[in-house]
Short mmCIF file of all heavy atoms in Angstrom, two decimals:
data_model
loop_
_atom_site.label_atom_id
_atom_site.label_comp_id
_atom_site.label_asym_id
_atom_site.label_seq_id
_atom_site.Cartn_x
_atom_site.Cartn_y
_atom_site.Cartn_z
N MET A 251 93.09 54.15 17.69
CA MET A 251 91.92 53.57 17.04
C MET A 251 92.29 53.23 15.60
O MET A 251 92.80 54.05 14.87
CB MET A 251 90.78 54.58 17.10
CG MET A 251 89.54 54.09 16.44
SD MET A 251 88.26 55.36 16.32
CE MET A 251 88.35 56.19 17.87
N ARG A 252 92.04 52.00 15.20
CA ARG A 252 92.34 51.59 13.85
C ARG A 252 91.08 51.66 12.99
O ARG A 252 90.00 51.33 13.44
CB ARG A 252 92.85 50.15 13.84
CG ARG A 252 94.21 49.99 14.49
CD ARG A 252 94.61 48.54 14.50
NE ARG A 252 93.65 47.78 15.28
CZ ARG A 252 93.42 46.49 15.10
NH1 ARG A 252 94.04 45.84 14.17
NH2 ARG A 252 92.56 45.86 15.86
N VAL A 253 91.24 52.11 11.78
CA VAL A 253 90.13 52.15 10.83
C VAL A 253 90.56 51.37 9.60
O VAL A 253 91.59 51.65 9.01
CB VAL A 253 89.76 53.59 10.45
CG1 VAL A 253 88.63 53.60 9.45
CG2 VAL A 253 89.38 54.38 11.70
N LEU A 254 89.76 50.37 9.25
CA LEU A 254 90.13 49.51 8.13
C LEU A 254 89.07 49.58 7.04
O LEU A 254 87.88 49.66 7.34
CB LEU A 254 90.24 48.05 8.60
CG LEU A 254 91.26 47.79 9.71
CD1 LEU A 254 91.13 46.35 10.17
CD2 LEU A 254 92.65 48.05 9.22
N PRO A 255 89.48 49.54 5.80
CA PRO A 255 88.49 49.48 4.72
C PRO A 255 87.92 48.07 4.61
O PRO A 255 88.67 47.11 4.45
CB PRO A 255 89.31 49.85 3.49
CG PRO A 255 90.71 49.46 3.83
CD PRO A 255 90.85 49.59 5.32
N ILE A 256 86.63 47.94 4.75
CA ILE A 256 85.97 46.63 4.63
C ILE A 256 84.80 46.79 3.68
O ILE A 256 83.92 47.60 3.90
CB ILE A 256 85.49 46.11 6.00
CG1 ILE A 256 86.68 45.91 6.93
CG2 ILE A 256 84.70 44.81 5.83
CD1 ILE A 256 86.31 45.53 8.33
N GLY A 257 84.80 46.02 2.61
CA GLY A 257 83.71 46.07 1.66
C GLY A 257 83.52 47.44 1.04
O GLY A 257 82.41 47.84 0.72
N GLY A 258 84.61 48.16 0.89
CA GLY A 258 84.52 49.46 0.26
C GLY A 258 84.13 50.58 1.20
O GLY A 258 84.15 51.73 0.82
N LYS A 259 83.74 50.24 2.43
CA LYS A 259 83.38 51.27 3.40
C LYS A 259 84.42 51.27 4.50
O LYS A 259 85.02 50.25 4.80
CB LYS A 259 82.02 50.97 4.04
CG LYS A 259 80.88 51.08 3.08
CD LYS A 259 79.53 51.05 3.77
CE LYS A 259 79.44 50.23 5.00
NZ LYS A 259 78.07 50.07 5.48
N TYR A 260 84.58 52.41 5.10
CA TYR A 260 85.49 52.47 6.24
C TYR A 260 84.70 52.21 7.52
O TYR A 260 83.67 52.82 7.76
CB TYR A 260 86.18 53.82 6.30
CG TYR A 260 87.31 53.90 5.29
CD1 TYR A 260 87.05 54.31 3.98
CD2 TYR A 260 88.59 53.51 5.63
CE1 TYR A 260 88.06 54.36 3.05
CE2 TYR A 260 89.62 53.55 4.70
CZ TYR A 260 89.35 53.98 3.41
OH TYR A 260 90.34 54.01 2.49
N THR A 261 85.19 51.29 8.29
CA THR A 261 84.51 50.97 9.53
C THR A 261 85.55 50.66 10.59
O THR A 261 86.70 50.38 10.28
CB THR A 261 83.56 49.76 9.33
OG1 THR A 261 82.82 49.56 10.51
CG2 THR A 261 84.33 48.51 8.97
N MET A 262 85.15 50.71 11.84
CA MET A 262 86.10 50.45 12.91
C MET A 262 86.44 48.96 12.96
O MET A 262 85.64 48.11 12.57
CB MET A 262 85.52 50.91 14.23
CG MET A 262 85.41 52.42 14.25
SD MET A 262 84.78 53.08 15.78
CE MET A 262 86.00 52.51 16.93
N ALA A 263 87.60 48.67 13.44
CA ALA A 263 88.09 47.29 13.40
C ALA A 263 87.34 46.39 14.35
O ALA A 263 87.15 45.21 14.08
CB ALA A 263 89.58 47.28 13.73
N LYS A 264 86.88 46.92 15.46
CA LYS A 264 86.29 46.07 16.47
C LYS A 264 84.85 45.70 16.10
O LYS A 264 84.05 46.56 15.78
CB LYS A 264 86.29 46.79 17.82
CG LYS A 264 85.90 45.92 18.98
CD LYS A 264 86.11 46.69 20.26
CE LYS A 264 86.24 45.75 21.43
NZ LYS A 264 86.64 46.45 22.63
N LYS A 265 84.55 44.42 16.19
CA LYS A 265 83.19 43.96 15.96
C LYS A 265 82.85 42.98 17.07
O LYS A 265 83.72 42.42 17.71
CB LYS A 265 83.07 43.27 14.60
CG LYS A 265 83.31 44.21 13.44
CD LYS A 265 83.22 43.50 12.12
CE LYS A 265 81.78 43.23 11.74
NZ LYS A 265 81.68 42.63 10.39
N VAL A 266 81.58 42.78 17.26
CA VAL A 266 81.14 41.86 18.31
C VAL A 266 80.20 40.83 17.72
O VAL A 266 79.61 41.02 16.66
CB VAL A 266 80.43 42.60 19.45
CG1 VAL A 266 81.41 43.45 20.23
CG2 VAL A 266 79.28 43.43 18.94
N LYS A 267 80.06 39.73 18.44
CA LYS A 267 79.08 38.73 18.04
C LYS A 267 78.42 38.19 19.31
O LYS A 267 79.00 38.21 20.40
CB LYS A 267 79.73 37.60 17.24
CG LYS A 267 80.77 36.81 18.00
CD LYS A 267 81.40 35.76 17.10
CE LYS A 267 82.53 35.04 17.83
NZ LYS A 267 83.23 34.09 16.95
N VAL A 268 77.20 37.71 19.14
CA VAL A 268 76.44 37.15 20.26
C VAL A 268 76.21 35.67 19.99
O VAL A 268 75.78 35.28 18.91
CB VAL A 268 75.08 37.87 20.41
CG1 VAL A 268 74.25 37.21 21.50
CG2 VAL A 268 75.29 39.35 20.71
N ASN A 269 76.53 34.87 20.98
CA ASN A 269 76.26 33.44 20.91
C ASN A 269 74.79 33.24 21.27
O ASN A 269 74.41 33.28 22.43
CB ASN A 269 77.16 32.70 21.90
CG ASN A 269 76.88 31.21 21.92
OD1 ASN A 269 75.91 30.72 21.32
ND2 ASN A 269 77.73 30.47 22.60
N LYS A 270 73.96 33.04 20.25
CA LYS A 270 72.52 32.96 20.47
C LYS A 270 72.14 31.71 21.27
O LYS A 270 71.07 31.68 21.88
CB LYS A 270 71.78 33.00 19.14
CG LYS A 270 71.78 34.41 18.53
CD LYS A 270 70.77 34.52 17.42
CE LYS A 270 70.72 35.96 16.94
NZ LYS A 270 69.38 36.52 17.06
N ASP A 271 72.96 30.68 21.22
CA ASP A 271 72.66 29.48 22.03
C ASP A 271 72.78 29.80 23.51
O ASP A 271 72.10 29.19 24.34
CB ASP A 271 73.61 28.35 21.66
CG ASP A 271 73.35 27.81 20.27
OD1 ASP A 271 72.20 27.94 19.79
OD2 ASP A 271 74.28 27.27 19.65
N ALA A 272 73.64 30.75 23.85
CA ALA A 272 73.85 31.09 25.25
C ALA A 272 72.96 32.24 25.72
O ALA A 272 72.54 32.27 26.87
CB ALA A 272 75.32 31.46 25.47
N CYS A 273 72.66 33.19 24.83
CA CYS A 273 71.88 34.39 25.21
C CYS A 273 70.53 33.99 25.80
O CYS A 273 69.83 33.15 25.25
CB CYS A 273 71.69 35.28 23.98
SG CYS A 273 70.62 36.72 24.27
N ILE A 274 70.19 34.62 26.91
CA ILE A 274 68.88 34.38 27.54
C ILE A 274 67.95 35.58 27.34
O ILE A 274 66.88 35.63 27.93
CB ILE A 274 69.04 34.08 29.05
CG1 ILE A 274 69.78 35.22 29.76
CG2 ILE A 274 69.75 32.74 29.25
CD1 ILE A 274 69.85 35.08 31.27
N GLY A 275 68.38 36.53 26.53
CA GLY A 275 67.53 37.67 26.20
C GLY A 275 67.30 38.62 27.35
O GLY A 275 66.27 39.29 27.41
N CYS A 276 68.27 38.75 28.23
CA CYS A 276 68.08 39.61 29.41
C CYS A 276 68.00 41.09 29.02
O CYS A 276 67.42 41.89 29.72
CB CYS A 276 69.19 39.39 30.42
SG CYS A 276 70.73 40.24 30.04
N GLY A 277 68.59 41.47 27.89
CA GLY A 277 68.46 42.82 27.39
C GLY A 277 69.51 43.81 27.88
O GLY A 277 69.46 44.98 27.51
N LEU A 278 70.41 43.37 28.70
CA LEU A 278 71.40 44.29 29.24
C LEU A 278 72.20 44.95 28.12
O LEU A 278 72.37 46.17 28.10
CB LEU A 278 72.32 43.55 30.20
CG LEU A 278 73.34 44.39 30.96
CD1 LEU A 278 73.60 43.76 32.32
CD2 LEU A 278 74.65 44.53 30.20
N CYS A 279 72.67 44.17 27.18
CA CYS A 279 73.50 44.73 26.11
C CYS A 279 72.68 45.65 25.21
O CYS A 279 73.15 46.72 24.84
CB CYS A 279 74.15 43.62 25.30
SG CYS A 279 72.99 42.48 24.52
N VAL A 280 71.47 45.24 24.88
CA VAL A 280 70.61 46.06 24.01
C VAL A 280 70.27 47.38 24.70
O VAL A 280 70.25 48.44 24.08
CB VAL A 280 69.33 45.29 23.64
CG1 VAL A 280 68.40 46.16 22.78
CG2 VAL A 280 69.67 44.00 22.91
N GLY A 281 70.03 47.32 25.98
CA GLY A 281 69.69 48.52 26.73
C GLY A 281 70.86 49.45 26.93
O GLY A 281 70.70 50.68 26.93
N SER A 282 72.05 48.89 27.05
CA SER A 282 73.20 49.75 27.35
C SER A 282 73.91 50.25 26.10
O SER A 282 74.49 51.34 26.13
CB SER A 282 74.19 49.01 28.27
OG SER A 282 74.64 47.83 27.67
N VAL A 283 73.90 49.49 25.03
CA VAL A 283 74.56 49.92 23.79
C VAL A 283 73.63 49.62 22.60
O VAL A 283 73.93 48.75 21.77
CB VAL A 283 75.92 49.23 23.58
CG1 VAL A 283 76.83 50.11 22.70
CG2 VAL A 283 76.63 48.93 24.88
N PRO A 284 72.53 50.34 22.48
CA PRO A 284 71.53 50.01 21.45
C PRO A 284 72.00 50.19 20.01
O PRO A 284 71.43 49.60 19.11
CB PRO A 284 70.36 50.96 21.78
CG PRO A 284 70.97 52.08 22.56
CD PRO A 284 72.11 51.47 23.33
N GLY A 285 73.05 50.97 19.81
CA GLY A 285 73.55 51.11 18.45
C GLY A 285 74.36 49.92 17.98
O GLY A 285 74.62 49.75 16.80
N VAL A 286 74.73 49.08 18.92
CA VAL A 286 75.60 47.95 18.60
C VAL A 286 74.86 46.62 18.74
O VAL A 286 75.12 45.66 18.01
CB VAL A 286 76.85 47.96 19.52
CG1 VAL A 286 77.71 46.73 19.31
CG2 VAL A 286 77.66 49.23 19.25
N PHE A 287 73.90 46.58 19.69
CA PHE A 287 73.13 45.34 19.89
C PHE A 287 71.65 45.62 19.66
O PHE A 287 71.15 46.71 19.93
CB PHE A 287 73.32 44.82 21.33
CG PHE A 287 74.74 44.49 21.68
CD1 PHE A 287 75.51 45.39 22.40
CD2 PHE A 287 75.31 43.30 21.27
CE1 PHE A 287 76.82 45.09 22.73
CE2 PHE A 287 76.63 43.00 21.59
CZ PHE A 287 77.39 43.89 22.33
N GLU A 288 70.97 44.61 19.17
CA GLU A 288 69.52 44.69 18.97
C GLU A 288 68.94 43.31 19.23
O GLU A 288 69.67 42.31 19.24
CB GLU A 288 69.22 45.13 17.53
CG GLU A 288 69.70 44.12 16.49
CD GLU A 288 69.57 44.60 15.06
OE1 GLU A 288 69.16 45.74 14.84
OE2 GLU A 288 69.89 43.80 14.15
N PHE A 289 67.63 43.28 19.44
CA PHE A 289 66.97 41.99 19.56
C PHE A 289 66.60 41.47 18.18
O PHE A 289 66.10 42.22 17.34
CB PHE A 289 65.71 42.09 20.41
CG PHE A 289 65.98 42.10 21.90
CD1 PHE A 289 65.61 43.17 22.68
CD2 PHE A 289 66.61 41.02 22.49
CE1 PHE A 289 65.86 43.19 24.04
CE2 PHE A 289 66.87 41.02 23.86
CZ PHE A 289 66.49 42.09 24.63
N GLY A 290 66.82 40.20 17.94
CA GLY A 290 66.37 39.56 16.72
C GLY A 290 64.94 39.08 16.90
O GLY A 290 64.36 39.17 17.98
N ASP A 291 64.36 38.54 15.85
CA ASP A 291 62.99 38.03 15.90
C ASP A 291 62.86 36.88 16.89
O ASP A 291 61.76 36.57 17.34
CB ASP A 291 62.57 37.55 14.50
CG ASP A 291 62.41 38.72 13.52
OD1 ASP A 291 62.25 39.87 13.98
OD2 ASP A 291 62.46 38.47 12.30
N ASP A 292 63.96 36.26 17.21
CA ASP A 292 63.94 35.15 18.16
C ASP A 292 63.99 35.61 19.62
O ASP A 292 64.02 34.81 20.54
CB ASP A 292 65.10 34.18 17.88
CG ASP A 292 66.46 34.89 17.89
OD1 ASP A 292 66.52 36.11 18.19
OD2 ASP A 292 67.47 34.22 17.60
N GLY A 293 64.00 36.94 19.82
CA GLY A 293 64.04 37.46 21.19
C GLY A 293 65.41 37.43 21.83
O GLY A 293 65.56 37.72 23.01
N LYS A 294 66.40 37.10 21.04
CA LYS A 294 67.77 37.08 21.54
C LYS A 294 68.56 38.21 20.89
O LYS A 294 68.21 38.69 19.81
CB LYS A 294 68.41 35.73 21.25
CG LYS A 294 67.65 34.61 21.96
CD LYS A 294 68.37 33.30 21.88
CE LYS A 294 67.59 32.27 22.70
NZ LYS A 294 68.36 31.04 22.89
N ALA A 295 69.62 38.60 21.58
CA ALA A 295 70.42 39.72 21.08
C ALA A 295 71.24 39.31 19.86
O ALA A 295 71.57 38.13 19.68
CB ALA A 295 71.34 40.23 22.18
N GLN A 296 71.55 40.31 19.06
CA GLN A 296 72.46 40.12 17.94
C GLN A 296 73.17 41.44 17.70
O GLN A 296 72.71 42.49 18.13
CB GLN A 296 71.69 39.68 16.69
CG GLN A 296 70.66 40.70 16.23
CD GLN A 296 69.67 40.12 15.21
OE1 GLN A 296 69.39 38.92 15.20
NE2 GLN A 296 69.16 40.98 14.34
N ALA A 297 74.28 41.36 17.03
CA ALA A 297 75.02 42.58 16.71
C ALA A 297 74.32 43.29 15.56
O ALA A 297 73.83 42.64 14.63
CB ALA A 297 76.45 42.24 16.34
N THR A 298 74.25 44.61 15.63
CA THR A 298 73.71 45.36 14.50
C THR A 298 74.76 45.42 13.41
O THR A 298 75.92 45.06 13.62
CB THR A 298 73.34 46.80 14.92
OG1 THR A 298 74.56 47.49 15.24
CG2 THR A 298 72.40 46.82 16.10
N ALA A 299 74.37 45.91 12.27
CA ALA A 299 75.31 46.04 11.16
C ALA A 299 76.26 47.21 11.36
O ALA A 299 77.28 47.32 10.69
CB ALA A 299 74.55 46.20 9.85
N GLY A 300 75.91 48.09 12.27
CA GLY A 300 76.71 49.29 12.47
C GLY A 300 78.03 49.01 13.15
O GLY A 300 78.21 47.97 13.78
N PRO A 301 78.95 49.95 13.02
CA PRO A 301 80.25 49.79 13.67
C PRO A 301 80.15 50.03 15.17
O PRO A 301 79.22 50.67 15.65
CB PRO A 301 81.10 50.87 13.01
CG PRO A 301 80.11 51.93 12.63
CD PRO A 301 78.85 51.20 12.27
N VAL A 302 81.11 49.48 15.88
CA VAL A 302 81.21 49.74 17.31
C VAL A 302 81.69 51.17 17.49
O VAL A 302 82.78 51.52 17.06
CB VAL A 302 82.19 48.75 17.98
CG1 VAL A 302 82.47 49.16 19.41
CG2 VAL A 302 81.62 47.35 17.93
N THR A 303 80.85 51.99 18.10
CA THR A 303 81.20 53.40 18.25
C THR A 303 81.67 53.73 19.65
O THR A 303 82.34 54.74 19.85
CB THR A 303 79.99 54.29 17.91
OG1 THR A 303 78.88 53.84 18.68
CG2 THR A 303 79.65 54.20 16.43
N ASP A 304 81.34 52.91 20.61
CA ASP A 304 81.71 53.17 21.99
C ASP A 304 82.34 51.91 22.56
O ASP A 304 81.66 51.06 23.13
CB ASP A 304 80.49 53.60 22.80
CG ASP A 304 80.86 54.04 24.21
OD1 ASP A 304 81.97 53.70 24.68
OD2 ASP A 304 80.03 54.70 24.85
N GLU A 305 83.64 51.79 22.36
CA GLU A 305 84.32 50.55 22.75
C GLU A 305 84.23 50.29 24.24
O GLU A 305 84.12 49.14 24.67
CB GLU A 305 85.78 50.58 22.30
CG GLU A 305 85.91 50.53 20.78
CD GLU A 305 87.29 50.11 20.34
OE1 GLU A 305 88.02 49.49 21.13
OE2 GLU A 305 87.64 50.39 19.20
N ALA A 306 84.28 51.33 25.05
CA ALA A 306 84.22 51.14 26.50
C ALA A 306 82.87 50.55 26.91
O ALA A 306 82.81 49.63 27.74
CB ALA A 306 84.46 52.46 27.22
N ALA A 307 81.79 51.06 26.31
CA ALA A 307 80.46 50.54 26.63
C ALA A 307 80.31 49.10 26.16
O ALA A 307 79.69 48.26 26.84
CB ALA A 307 79.39 51.42 26.00
N VAL A 308 80.89 48.79 25.02
CA VAL A 308 80.82 47.42 24.51
C VAL A 308 81.64 46.48 25.40
O VAL A 308 81.20 45.38 25.72
CB VAL A 308 81.31 47.37 23.05
CG1 VAL A 308 81.53 45.93 22.59
CG2 VAL A 308 80.31 48.06 22.14
N ASP A 309 82.80 46.94 25.83
CA ASP A 309 83.61 46.11 26.74
C ASP A 309 82.84 45.84 28.02
O ASP A 309 82.90 44.73 28.58
CB ASP A 309 84.93 46.82 27.06
CG ASP A 309 85.90 46.80 25.89
OD1 ASP A 309 85.70 45.99 24.96
OD2 ASP A 309 86.86 47.59 25.92
N GLU A 310 82.10 46.84 28.49
CA GLU A 310 81.30 46.67 29.71
C GLU A 310 80.18 45.67 29.47
O GLU A 310 79.90 44.82 30.32
CB GLU A 310 80.73 48.03 30.12
CG GLU A 310 80.31 48.10 31.56
CD GLU A 310 79.95 49.53 31.96
OE1 GLU A 310 80.71 50.45 31.63
OE2 GLU A 310 78.90 49.69 32.59
N ALA A 311 79.53 45.75 28.32
CA ALA A 311 78.46 44.81 28.00
C ALA A 311 79.01 43.38 27.92
O ALA A 311 78.38 42.44 28.41
CB ALA A 311 77.79 45.20 26.68
N ILE A 312 80.18 43.24 27.32
CA ILE A 312 80.81 41.92 27.24
C ILE A 312 81.06 41.38 28.65
O ILE A 312 80.77 40.22 28.95
CB ILE A 312 82.14 41.99 26.44
CG1 ILE A 312 81.86 42.26 24.97
CG2 ILE A 312 82.94 40.70 26.62
CD1 ILE A 312 83.09 42.56 24.13
N ALA A 313 81.57 42.24 29.52
CA ALA A 313 81.91 41.83 30.88
C ALA A 313 80.67 41.54 31.71
O ALA A 313 80.70 40.67 32.59
CB ALA A 313 82.77 42.90 31.55
N ASN A 314 79.57 42.25 31.43
CA ASN A 314 78.40 42.15 32.30
C ASN A 314 77.32 41.19 31.82
O ASN A 314 76.37 40.93 32.55
CB ASN A 314 77.79 43.54 32.49
CG ASN A 314 78.68 44.44 33.32
OD1 ASN A 314 79.49 43.97 34.11
ND2 ASN A 314 78.57 45.74 33.12
N CYS A 315 77.43 40.69 30.61
CA CYS A 315 76.43 39.71 30.16
C CYS A 315 76.41 38.55 31.15
O CYS A 315 77.45 37.94 31.41
CB CYS A 315 76.77 39.21 28.76
SG CYS A 315 75.68 37.86 28.23
N PRO A 316 75.24 38.23 31.70
CA PRO A 316 75.19 37.21 32.76
C PRO A 316 75.56 35.80 32.31
O PRO A 316 75.89 34.95 33.14
CB PRO A 316 73.73 37.27 33.24
CG PRO A 316 72.98 37.86 32.11
CD PRO A 316 73.92 38.82 31.43
N VAL A 317 75.51 35.56 31.01
CA VAL A 317 75.86 34.22 30.52
C VAL A 317 77.07 34.25 29.58
O VAL A 317 77.34 33.28 28.87
CB VAL A 317 74.65 33.57 29.82
CG1 VAL A 317 73.55 33.25 30.83
CG2 VAL A 317 74.11 34.46 28.71
N SER A 318 77.78 35.37 29.59
CA SER A 318 79.00 35.51 28.78
C SER A 318 78.78 35.14 27.32
O SER A 318 79.58 34.42 26.72
CB SER A 318 80.14 34.67 29.38
OG SER A 318 80.41 35.07 30.70
N ALA A 319 77.67 35.65 26.77
CA ALA A 319 77.32 35.30 25.38
C ALA A 319 77.96 36.21 24.35
O ALA A 319 77.89 35.92 23.16
CB ALA A 319 75.80 35.33 25.22
N ILE A 320 78.56 37.32 24.79
CA ILE A 320 79.10 38.29 23.85
C ILE A 320 80.61 38.14 23.77
O ILE A 320 81.28 37.99 24.78
CB ILE A 320 78.77 39.73 24.28
CG1 ILE A 320 77.28 39.87 24.59
CG2 ILE A 320 79.19 40.72 23.21
CD1 ILE A 320 76.95 41.16 25.32
N SER A 321 81.10 38.21 22.56
CA SER A 321 82.56 38.18 22.39
C SER A 321 82.94 39.08 21.23
O SER A 321 82.09 39.47 20.43
CB SER A 321 83.04 36.75 22.14
OG SER A 321 82.41 36.22 20.99
N GLU A 322 84.20 39.39 21.16
CA GLU A 322 84.67 40.16 20.02
C GLU A 322 84.72 39.24 18.82
O GLU A 322 85.08 38.07 18.92
CB GLU A 322 86.07 40.72 20.30
CG GLU A 322 86.04 41.93 21.19
CD GLU A 322 87.39 42.63 21.22
OE1 GLU A 322 87.95 42.91 20.14
OE2 GLU A 322 87.88 42.90 22.31
N ASP A 323 84.31 39.77 17.69
CA ASP A 323 84.31 39.01 16.44
C ASP A 323 85.58 39.37 15.70
O ASP A 323 85.68 40.45 15.12
CB ASP A 323 83.08 39.36 15.62
CG ASP A 323 82.88 38.44 14.46
OD1 ASP A 323 83.64 37.44 14.33
OD2 ASP A 323 81.98 38.68 13.65
N LYS A 324 86.57 38.51 15.72
CA LYS A 324 87.88 38.84 15.14
C LYS A 324 88.03 38.24 13.76
O LYS A 324 87.44 37.28 13.42
CB LYS A 324 88.99 38.35 16.06
CG LYS A 324 88.93 39.08 17.38
CD LYS A 324 89.99 38.59 18.34
CE LYS A 324 89.85 39.32 19.67
NZ LYS A 324 90.68 38.79 20.71
FE1 F3S B 621 71.72 38.17 25.77
FE2 F3S B 621 73.77 38.70 27.30
FE3 F3S B 621 72.70 40.60 25.83
S1 F3S B 621 72.04 37.38 27.80
S2 F3S B 621 70.53 40.04 25.71
S3 F3S B 621 73.73 38.77 25.08
S4 F3S B 621 73.54 40.85 27.87
#
């Protein structure tokens, strides 16, 4: 596991992003990894500001999103 200093804080290297144009708001990612995904005011998912704490769960959410709207933010 890599830990990098970003903006003066230490956070995990892995980040995710949601393509809001593709997201249909099914809620799978928000329901399965609520610390990493949340619903925005538009009813679509977005990444929270928090670090990815459970990479396996996030990988599963990426794989299971029905419209492949989630990707790693590199
Ligand atoms: Fe949207 Fe896919 Fe999550 S459709 S709510 S990004 S599982």
